[in-house]
Amino acid sequence: MSIKSAAAKLFAKKIYKETQTWVSNPVASQKTVFMDLIKEAKQTAFGIDHHFDTIKTVEDFANQVPIRDYEDLKPYIEKVVKGEENILWKGKPLYFAKTSGTTSGAKYIPLTKESMPFHIQAARNAILHYIHETGKADFVDGKMIFLQGSPILEEKNGIQFGRLSGIVAHFVPKYLQKNRMPSLETNCIEDWETKIDAIVGETFNENMTVISGIPSWVQMYFERLEQKGGKKVGDIFKNFNLFIYGGVNYEPYRAKFENLIGRKVDSIELFPASEGFFAYQDSQKGKGMLLLLKAGIFYEFVKSDEFYTEKPRRYTIGEVELGVNYVLIISTNAGLWGYNIGDTVQFTSLKPFRIIVSGRIKHYISAFGEHVIGKEVENALQEAMEGTNVRVNEFTVAPQINPASGLPYHEWFIEFENEPVNLITFAEAIDDAMRKQNIYYDDLIRGNILQKVVITRVAKNGFQEYMKSIGKLGGQNKIPRLSDNRDIVALLDKK
């Protein structure tokens, strides 16, 4: 064992013990975060407008601060972008994470000196929990790659802005900088395909032990490696044994990854966003990710089937239940208040509080009242693939409301790596899995309102070409698993 790996184990033990202090006191920890946030923001423009000086309880907060999305908060954010101080949080933010908006063009999410450290600590602590539980630390001696956006930042009114992953790249700890890849020069390449080719060239002969990124873009990296080397990724990188990912569910990609790698590797799931780092997988044994309750974020949860009612109830951490689909609402030390990030979560454990990301509140299919969510379509595909040689590169689902003939249906657009022997049988397996999960969908099939799932093949690299056509190839961008319209599938290259 090297000195570095021995030190990593000692550090992992220390961080694990520190984590247990708030894990064992979840409600109290959230109350402390809540009171600290209110206290620190009393004199901000937002705090004054919403009478923070009178807020004593969570109930007061819910009554005085409505749930908002980016559009609702935009008037305040625009003032911060112009350089005004003490608007959403004290002073000015250190950075703006620039992301794509659906209706407002670019979105600017503030990152403050208080919030920024938690983004770095959470990613680090996820790895340390893995070391503590498994005892595996040799990978710290190898090379690590994080597929991310360009670290080049711009400046506006004294505030730097760029992609979150690019901002985070400036905070890589010194002890990891020698191990980290790719080079700064390569990381700054904007064109994703050019960047991937450059990364392949830099890493091909290195001792890569950890690879991290959104699965769909790591898959592209693996495919280019295989093309260059003519062998499995696991043979190119013999000591690669840890994959770290976030952004999308890994399960639909797992079979394809294991085929590309040539063997199984351990994985760690993360739940980072520009708005905050919310959770990470703290155990290889338990399902779900540990919700970070002492990280400058106060959480509220709204049941997704109540979200669009006039005044939905906002639940706190001590009130949540297992298996319920909640819209995640956050208030943070970056100045987001009662903010709807758009993600839905379900709790898999209440001791400790672990979650899975179940989808997006705006990404669902309910064209016929079925309320189908992302988690359900991912689970259905995974169940249909079990025990088969079928491998899927990418997929999305959309309703077909006006078919040329017959009943309406859910149309699954799938880019196969290995196709099923019988496409109709595979579609029936997906449909059966959907009906077991979603009683509304089952009722529609039974009542002859819908016909069973129909699969449409997507051409090789069809999803990549789609993302390229809309300027979202690579980085943190990802294909929605489903939508209530056919805007995405209308642009796919089908076969």
Side-chain angles (χ1 to χ4, degrees), residues 371-387:
H371 307 294
V372 170
I373 62 173
K375 174 178 173 289
E376 291 170 341
V377 297
E378 290 177 336
N379 287 350
L381 180 62
Q382 185 182 345
E383 186 172 324
M385 290 169 63
E386 284 177 4

Side-chain angles (χ1 to χ4, degrees), residues 310-325:
E310 186 174 345
K311 195 173 182 182
R313 181 177 171 186
R314 293 152 72 167
Y315 297 84
T316 56
I317 195 66
E319 302 169 304
V320 296
E321 304 170 67
L322 293 173
V324 175
N325 208 45

Side-chain angles (χ1 to χ4, degrees), residues 250-260 385 390-392:
Y250 179 42
E251 291 310 315
Y253 298 93
R254 189 179 292 277
K256 176 66 184 293
F257 267 52
E258 289 177 357
N259 180 261
L260 284 167
M385 290 169 63
V390 176
R391 291 197 295 274
V392 168

Side-chain angles (χ1 to χ4, degrees), residues 292-303:
L292 306 183
L293 302 177
K294 201 72 180 294
I297 302 170
F298 174 68
Y299 301 96
E300 295 173 280
F301 307 89
V302 176
K303 292 180 179 179

Side-chain angles (χ1 to χ4, degrees), residues 1-5 137-144 179 207 209:
M1 181 187 300
S2 70
I3 294 174
K4 196 171 184 179
S5 60
D138 290 345
F139 63 84
V140 301
D141 296 313
K143 297 286 187 179
M144 306 177 188
N179 298 64
N207 177 29
T209 55

Side-chain angles (χ1 to χ4, degrees), residues 160-209:
Q160 291 184 304
F161 64 96
R163 298 172 185 169
L164 175 65
S165 59
I167 292 169
V168 169
H170 292 270
F171 289 84
V172 175
K174 288 183 179 179
Y175 58 83
L176 285 181
Q177 287 177 2
K178 289 183 179 180
N179 298 64
R180 179 177 171 270
M181 299 192 79
S183 65
L184 179 62
E185 181 183 6
T186 294
N187 225 6
C188 290
I189 297 173
E190 286 290 344
D191 180 75
W192 188 253
E193 291 183 288
T194 304
K195 184 173 185 171
I196 285 290
D197 286 337
I199 291 172
V200 168
E202 280 192 7
T203 58
F204 189 80
N205 293 313
E206 297 289 344
N207 177 29
M208 304 303 302
T209 55

